[in-house]
Amino acid sequence: MHARSILLAPLLPLIASALSPLQNQVPLSPSGICGTTYLPVSYQGIEQQLALTAFPQSRSFYASSGPSPGYAIDSLIHFTGIPPGSYGCTLGVSFTYEYNISSTGSTLLNVYNLLDDDITKYSNYAGYFPEGGSGEPSSAEGLWGSLTLDGEAHTVNSAACTGNMSFLVGIASQDKAGTVSFQDAGDNLSGIGGFYLSFDC
């Protein structure tokens, strides 16, 4: 089996079973998180071996790397409709009820804040890595934070707010195999079950 098929095998079931992306941003007020909180409108996988392929937006997070350079799947996380004048946009992750986080191998994740807030501009790996490679995308302002998804709440970092904010998350290691995935079933009634963006704290 080709390495590309090995990488795609776990991704395709996530796409097929994914919940539909949120249609509208509705503020939440979860306990323990200051300010207004938004859930992602969508997650979107991009794959190095299929650099020109635009996978559909979903509610599934998936990141994979290795076992050698050249085999990476990253996730884009999109937030939209942040009101003008908002401040202190903070990316975090929280699992408020039981979630199945699947992880193997190297699981430390790097997070990049994408500078271009047009979430429709790029939808594939080549758009963010026009010269190939992996790691920091060309449209990022540098490494924004790192974390391991362990079922606990974590704050990644804060930045000035823009109307739309997108982040690229991938396995930190460039030479060790690893995967991290979960299905974000959070909604405006149940609360947070994955990444979130809070502001105006």
Side-chain angles (χ1 to χ4, degrees), residues 63-96:
S64 178
S65 71
S68 60
Y71 303 104
I73 298 175
D74 299 331
S75 271
L76 303 171
I77 306 174
H78 299 308
F79 300 88
T80 63
I82 301 165
S86 299
Y87 60 90
C89 279
T90 301
L91 181 69
V93 63
S94 180
F95 298 90
T96 53

Side-chain angles (χ1 to χ4, degrees), residues 85-132:
S86 299
Y87 60 90
C89 279
T90 301
L91 181 69
V93 63
S94 180
F95 298 90
T96 53
Y97 47 93
E98 184 176 356
Y99 269 83
N100 181 18
I101 303 172
S102 176
S103 60
T104 60
S106 181
T107 58
L108 180 66
L109 299 171
N110 280 346
V111 181
Y112 299 92
N113 180 17
L114 302 177
L115 297 176
D116 193 332
D117 67 358
D118 181 2
I119 67 173
T120 65
K121 185 173 181 179
Y122 303 125
S123 59
N124 57 34
Y125 199 94
Y128 293 96
F129 299 92
E131 298 181 2

